[in-house]
Amino acid sequence: MSAQLDIVSIGMVTAVGLDAPSACAAMRARLDGFQQTRLRGSAGEWLTGAPIALPRNWIGDRRMAHLAAGAICEAFESVPEARGQTALILCLPEEERPGRPVSDNSALLRSVAEIVEVEPLAGSRIIAHGRPAGVVALEYARRLLASGEVPFVMIAGVDSYLKSQTVTHYISCNRLLTPQNPNGFIPGEAAAAIICTHGRQGGLRLFGLGLSRENASIYNTEDLPLRGDGMTAAYRAAFEETGIEMNRLGYRIADLVGEQYWFKQSALASLRLLRGRHEFQDIWSPGESLGNVGAAVVPLMLGMAFTAARKGYAAGNPVLIEASNDAGACGAAIVASRAA
């Protein structure tokens, strides 16, 4: 039996809302934060992105710290007793990404703690795996809660692709959405946070987790055909731990950032595991409103599921959250509202 983990509070800072209620309402209404940026595309045109309009024009590490702190402070509002007894797991972009918006991981963690006015407790750590970092964080968080070291764990993710060096790199790889390239993603930025504990009613409970690796990654040099092996294995592990087949799933939320590769990967995983009679399973993605928000995406998707369950517009129960990165890391998590 795996350790319990209940999600009891959330926070968000996005291009369509500076708090979770407004961001979730905007995403539900299919609004987006896309606008012309001051970054140039391949033909010299202004690039479309999804920047966050902040009251002050912070840049670099300072911007990332304030974005993360905003999401964390909002999450603390609903569970004030968690202040001072929460380990912080910070999900960040991959170390090797060109133009990475964070120059010093440890310094960022300290800056966030300073702005939020909390001491990072023992067990606090950085997970720098980009988009699937939040799934790795869930595994670490439930082990931390099971150990009894801390009563609460905050999982926060922050990231930005709106950096000139990052944009230059992805343009050179022909991966950004431009008038010349319809098969690309829109660079975005976001922060999101969730508070996890165990034995609480009224939130979402984690029932299964799966982590795997896809050999035919988007950059695979051997031209291996994409069969979705990595995501299929992640799905399978999550379903086995939950104890259900995929036909019992309510819906999915996936980090589909816009490129065909990610849609194909998700579709293949579903086709390979979905058997027997089942209801329609919808698939949501924050990418439709926010573009690619990197390491913020898993706490953001969990926040979407949390709000949908609480407000009564979820497309089913339970929900599968999936994320993967350019290097082939794949993660899946199954959560359900406690009424399930």
Side-chain angles (χ1 to χ4, degrees):
M1 180 71 181
S2 64
Q4 284 185 7
L5 183 148
D6 292 308
I7 297 165
V8 292
S9 184
I10 64 168
M12 293 180 190
V13 181
T14 75
V16 294
L18 299 180
D19 57 38
S22 56
C24 288
M27 287 188 282
R28 186 187 179 197
R30 296 281 200 273
L31 302 179
D32 66 62
F34 304 146
Q35 58 179 275
Q36 198 177 77
T37 68
R38 306 308 290 173
L39 298 163
R40 297 278 188 182
S42 54
E45 78 283 9
W46 296 119
L47 195 70
T48 297
I52 295 170
L54 291 176
R56 293 172 69 177
N57 191 27
W58 291 299
I59 59 171
D61 290 62
R62 196 170 184 198
R63 184 177 183 82
M64 294 297 99
H66 278 279
L67 289 175
I72 290 168
C73 285
E74 183 188 357
F76 273 137
E77 284 173 14
S78 300
V79 191
E81 66 273 22
R83 274 189 173 273
Q85 41 181 348
T86 303
L88 173 60
I89 306 176
L90 198 53
C91 301
L92 296 177
E94 306 90 332
E95 298 281 359
E96 64 276 10
R97 189 202 300 165
R100 188 174 189 266
V102 178
S103 60
D104 185 327
N105 294 347
S106 300
L108 181 70
L109 186 64
R110 288 193 299 272
S111 295
V112 169
E114 199 174 292
I115 296 166
V116 177
E117 298 179 344
V118 294
E119 280 292 319
L121 298 186
S124 296
R125 68 180 294 180
I126 301 285
I127 298 178
H129 297 316
R131 297 207 303 274
V135 182
V136 179
L138 284 170
E139 174 60 38
Y140 180 64
R142 68 179 179 179
R143 277 190 272 141
L144 202 54
L145 290 168
S147 74
E149 285 181 54
V150 289
F152 297 96
V153 177
M154 176 82 74
I155 298 175
V158 63
D159 205 343
S160 176
Y161 279 79
L162 293 165
K163 304 276 286 183
S164 57
Q165 196 181 341
T166 306
V167 163
T168 300
H169 167 74
Y170 285 107
I171 284 175
S172 72
C173 299
N174 201 35
R175 291 195 52 200
L176 290 192
L177 183 69
T178 65
Q180 299 78 33
N181 180 32
N183 181 26
F185 69 81
I186 292 174
E189 59 183 359
I194 59 171
I195 294 180
C196 308
T197 186
H198 53 75
R200 287 281 187 106
Q201 296 289 336
L204 286 181
R205 174 161 288 180
L206 175 68
F207 283 93
L209 267 181
L211 289 161
S212 189
R213 183 161 294 278
E214 174 58 61
N215 290 324
S217 69
I218 198 164
Y219 286 137
N220 94 83
T221 52
E222 301 165 47
D223 287 329
L224 297 171
L226 175 63
R227 304 188 327 137
D229 291 338
M231 192 58 80
T232 301
Y235 272 32
R236 186 178 284 119
F239 282 117
E240 283 176 359
E241 190 183 335
T242 306
I244 64 169
E245 298 289 326
M246 189 167 176
N247 61 4
R248 291 267 313 281
L249 190 68
Y251 71 112
R252 290 181 287 162
I253 307 180
D255 63 332
L256 306 175
V257 297
E259 295 163 292
Q260 291 169 10
Y261 177 94
W262 313 108
F263 288 92
K264 186 176 179 184
Q265 175 179 257
S266 190
L268 285 167
S270 175
L271 284 168
R272 291 175 63 179
L273 292 180
L274 194 52
R275 298 284 181 271
R277 179 181 164 80
H278 60 88
E279 299 297 320
F280 169 69
Q281 294 179 354
D282 204 357
I283 184 162
W284 299 357
S285 177
E288 294 176 20
S289 296
L290 307 176
N292 189 351
V293 296
V297 78
V298 170
L300 185 75
M301 292 190 291
L302 288 163
M304 290 170 70
F306 180 93
T307 303
R310 180 158 283 190
K311 297 275 189 181
Y313 64 85
N317 197 33
V319 53
L320 183 143
I321 307 289
E322 69 167 80
S324 55
N325 67 13
D326 295 352
C330 298
I334 295 173
V335 294
S337 62
R338 296 297 301 281

